[in-house]
Amino acid sequence: MTGSPDIRACVIGFPITHSRSPQLHTYWLDQYGIDGCYAAESIAPDGLPDFLLSVKQDAAGYCGGNATIPHKEALLALADKADATARILGAANTFWSEHGALHVSNTDTYGFLANLDAAVPQWDRRPADISRKAVVLGAGGAARAIVFGLISRGFTEIVLANRTLSRAEKLVGHFAAAAEQQNCRLLPLTLADAEAALVHTDLLVNATSLGMVGQDELEISLTRLPVSAVVTDIVYTPLQTGLLSAAQGRGNRTVDGLGMLLHQAVPGFERWFGIRPQVTEALHRHMLQDL
Ligand code: ATR
């Protein structure tokens, strides 16, 4: 008995100080009485290959972990085995070593969908003959994970509105084959044209950083959005963004972004520590204390 914890995982990033993951996983470790720990490791981009090699060789002291900015694409490139979602998204956020091989997955799509499933049961259900339309604002990595999730849940039309039109067009091109297979129409637009596209929309997602503390507000009139639509934001600082307040004020159901962060962490925790953790109200409150 060395006194050191049995199972160790970590989050890697550069810089890493902003990560909420240690607080989240440590809560679950305490909750389930697991003899383990979850640390934050600052790993510079040029140190990533050596770090991952040491994980594979069981020399780093970690059985796996999460990756955040700027490592998500490089983690996928350095993996021995990647799950289908990581390959389709072109990025990975979760890793573990298994029989000397580095496995990776991407849990962002799962986190986005599970958050909506938990907050608004049936949010994606409509009679089979009725179209389902989503408007996604943004075209970065988060938007990519979200669009993939919406295609997989049978949305028939997804409008991608972004400040830089070429990025929205690129994202549409990336998912063209997957969308066609699911009879889903993808439409790239500029952010300025998003308001007009809100008619007949069932789900509006902000996947830009607008509305976050220290960033500009997201300026969008919701006049054309049906009151039956669900509105969600990936921004969780503040928890109640300007978009969510405006949507709530006119009667739309809203889902905040903290849940996506919590749910995306579930598969990794289960992989490293062997218990599938619950996302509870108490966990939400715990995380809110330090936001
Ligand atoms: P992530 O991977 O977290 O999605 P990202 O790739 O930096 O991060 O994407 C951030 C998103 O927020 C992009 O859609 C970005 O728009 P551009 O592609 O035009 O850069 C959007 N965004 C950030 N700041 C913005 C602003 N001031 N106005 C409009 N959109 C903004």
Side-chain angles (χ1 to χ4, degrees), residues 60-110:
Y62 296 116
C63 64
N66 290 119
T68 185
I69 294 168
H71 294 318
K72 288 183 168 190
E73 286 84 9
L75 176 61
L76 175 67
L78 291 164
D80 298 306
K81 288 205 168 154
D83 73 356
T85 309
R87 289 199 306 270
I88 288 164
L89 299 183
N93 68 348
T94 304
F95 62 93
W96 65 97
S97 115
E98 201 175 311
H99 308 305
L102 183 72
H103 290 244
V104 302
S105 78
N106 192 312
T107 65
D108 285 338
T109 298
Y110 168 81

Side-chain angles (χ1 to χ4, degrees), residues 196-263:
L198 295 179
V199 284
H200 305 311
T201 291
D202 301 295
L203 177 73
L204 170 62
V205 186
N206 176 38
T208 73
S209 48
L210 290 172
M212 193 184 290
V213 172
Q215 302 275 332
D216 291 341
E217 261 306 326
L218 171 62
E219 303 288 350
I220 185 168
S221 161
L222 301 180
T223 310
R224 298 191 200 184
L225 184 72
V227 177
S228 58
V230 174
V231 179
T232 186
D233 205 321
I234 64 159
V235 171
Y236 56 85
T237 48
L239 195 62
Q240 183 74 354
T241 59
L243 172 68
L244 296 184
S245 289
Q248 224 167 55
R250 62 195 292 283
N252 291 96
R253 280 170 303 177
T254 61
V255 182
D256 67 60
L258 178 60
M260 180 173 171
L261 171 77
L262 306 183
H263 282 281

Side-chain angles (χ1 to χ4, degrees), residues 5-13 16 22 29 36-43 50-66 95-98 100-103 271-273:
D6 275 332
I7 314 170
R8 293 161 52 89
C10 64
V11 56
I12 56 172
I16 194 61
L29 287 169
C37 82
Y38 185 100
E41 285 278 357
S42 174
I43 305 287
D50 279 350
F51 176 79
L52 294 175
L53 187 65
S54 68
V55 171
K56 266 166 66 158
Q57 295 171 339
D58 284 336
Y62 296 116
C63 64
N66 290 119
F95 62 93
W96 65 97
S97 115
E98 201 175 311
L102 183 72
H103 290 244
R271 170 74 58 184
W272 312 309
F273 300 113

